[in-house]
Amino acid sequence: MTEKSKTKISSEDFRVPSGKKVKLNEWPTSVKPFCETKERYKDLLEEHVEELSSLQQLHYASNRYALLLIFQGLDAAGKDGAIRHVMSGVNPQGCEVFSFKQPSAEELEHDFLWRTTRHLPERGRIGMFNRSYYEEVLVVRVHPEILRSQGLSEELRNDKAIWEGRYRSIVDMEGHLHRNGTKIVKIFLHLSKEEQRKRFLERIDEPDKNWKFSLSDIHERKYWKQYVKAYEACLQATSTHHAPWYVVPADDKDNARLIVSRIVLDGLEGLKMSYPKTTAKQKAELESIRKQLQKK
């Protein structure tokens, strides 16, 4: 038995049960490495990528479901790297990545779900949100002053009701998408404060990574405890049976990418997909074409 076949990663180990109270200090930011060497890690990730490529082809051909992958995490948690490595073997025709940062003036004139709803994946496609509508109950909750720029009336900005209302809107929307064929998988890359500090220093020390760093990153680090509380409340309120959250230990990038790839594979494998059946008419047409091609 090969090392690859012996390595077992269970996505259920990282799933947030529906209705469970979430305390992030009880969820690890690091677990024992799944692979003993870098070479074995690359082999296993390659195996996952090949499986994903095959499933994505079936998903595209079946054209019955859409898959929405949501990546959330604090700065330097590894969202970009996870998407890049895990989805490296997927046909670009069948997937799209959208990154959501500060909303535009036009987006602020609509409800908080509008800008992301426009980019939901079609049937047969995989859509990836690098940050998402969840920013509206995370960064906006940590910085409630942002609400003033969203054109909401004072009544709607009632701190006692707005967050529960937004959680309810999100859960209702995700339930609607699920009932209409969109599979939603939500991944929170769980990074420790110490590991974030190390990665920030790397971005400063390595010229090729300077572009990734800004003063705003350090500014947001001051609100670490507030972000932890916001994530805890969010995960607890919005992890459902049909749209679960997965808390992925992110201190070890290699481990995190293996876990993420396993979660994505399980999401696709759970869909009832098949290649379209060839009809009698299509078979007759194909036989006619065969005869034409066989002529010299």
Side-chain angles (χ1 to χ4, degrees):
M1 184 179 289
T2 67
E3 177 69 22
K4 289 191 289 184
S5 62
K6 289 193 295 182
T7 304
K8 298 294 182 182
I9 302 172
S10 172
S11 59
E12 287 301 307
D13 291 342
F14 309 98
R15 179 172 176 152
V16 178
S18 179
K20 177 182 173 64
K21 190 173 181 64
V22 176
K23 290 292 183 183
L24 284 176
N25 61 3
E26 298 175 0
W27 291 78
T29 60
S30 180
V31 293
K32 184 179 178 181
F34 294 107
C35 301
E36 295 178 2
T37 66
K38 192 75 171 180
E39 288 70 25
R40 287 174 178 171
Y41 153 73
K42 290 179 179 178
D43 287 344
L44 183 55
L45 184 61
E46 183 178 346
E47 181 184 307
H48 284 187
V49 169
E50 288 175 358
E51 289 179 35
L52 183 56
S53 177
S54 177
L55 280 171
Q56 186 257 342
Q57 183 177 340
L58 172 60
H59 173 63
Y60 187 79
S62 176
N63 198 37
R64 288 292 178 265
Y65 301 95
L67 177 63
L68 175 60
L69 307 175
I70 292 176
F71 291 85
Q72 291 286 159
L74 294 170
D75 293 324
K79 298 181 292 298
D80 292 334
I83 293 172
R84 186 171 64 254
H85 284 77
V86 172
M87 308 304 291
S88 61
V90 172
N91 186 336
Q93 267 194 320
C95 68
E96 288 184 285
V97 181
F98 296 97
S99 182
F100 297 97
K101 297 183 180 180
Q102 288 186 337
S104 67
E106 179 189 15
E107 290 166 344
L108 289 172
E109 292 299 320
H110 295 269
D111 69 274
F112 78 96
L113 292 172
W114 181 78
R115 69 170 179 156
T116 50
T117 301
R118 295 187 300 158
H119 299 293
L120 290 171
E122 305 167 22
R123 284 190 297 274
R125 308 271 180 158
I126 299 174
M128 287 165 278
F129 285 179
N130 184 346
R131 301 189 186 275
S132 65
Y133 45 84
Y134 279 101
E135 293 293 282
E136 294 293 330
V137 292
L138 295 167
V139 64
V140 178
R141 186 161 190 174
V142 173
H143 299 287
E145 64 274 11
I146 295 174
L147 290 171
R148 289 196 292 271
S149 68
Q150 297 186 348
L152 299 175
S153 67
E154 188 174 343
E155 178 185 0
L156 294 177
R157 286 190 275 116
N158 186 312
D159 191 51
K160 293 181 179 180
I162 189 168
W163 308 119
E164 292 303 321
R166 288 192 170 188
Y167 294 146
R168 188 164 62 250
S169 293
I170 288 171
V171 170
D172 287 347
M173 181 198 68
E174 291 179 344
H176 165 76
L177 292 175
H178 171 74
R179 290 188 295 273
N180 287 275
T182 296
K183 171 73 174 179
I184 304 171
V185 175
K186 303 178 296 196
I187 294 168
F188 168 56
L189 291 168
H190 187 25
L191 187 72
S192 68
K193 192 174 184 180
E194 173 59 18
E195 181 60 24
Q196 186 194 60
R197 184 185 71 84
K198 292 178 181 178
R199 292 184 187 180
F200 279 173
L201 288 171
E202 285 179 8
R203 291 181 177 184
I204 294 171
D205 294 339
E206 297 182 27
D208 290 347
K209 294 184 178 181
N210 287 172
W211 64 274
K212 290 185 175 183
F213 194 72
S214 70
L215 288 175
S216 64
D217 296 333
I218 286 294
H219 176 74
E220 290 303 295
R221 184 172 162 83
K222 297 175 183 177
Y223 297 93
W224 186 274
K225 291 182 179 179
Q226 291 92 322
Y227 273 110
V228 168
K229 289 181 180 179
Y231 267 106
E232 288 175 341
C234 172
L235 296 173
Q236 180 176 331
T238 62
S239 189
T240 61
H241 175 73
H242 55 262
W245 274 106
Y246 294 87
V247 178
V248 174
D251 283 3
D252 182 326
K253 292 180 181 179
D254 291 352
N255 254 12
R257 290 163 186 168
L258 290 174
I259 296 168
V260 169
S261 60
R262 183 71 262 167
I263 292 170
V264 175
L265 281 170
D266 288 346
L268 276 173
E269 288 173 349
L271 301 177
K272 296 179 180 179
M273 302 182 294
S274 61
Y275 284 102
K277 292 184 178 179
T278 306
T279 65
K281 181 180 179 181
Q282 289 171 329
K283 287 181 179 179
E285 290 175 347
L286 290 173
E287 284 303 315
S288 176
I289 293 171
R290 177 197 295 275
K291 291 177 181 178
Q292 294 179 44
L293 291 172
Q294 287 176 337
K295 292 179 179 178
K296 293 184 179 179

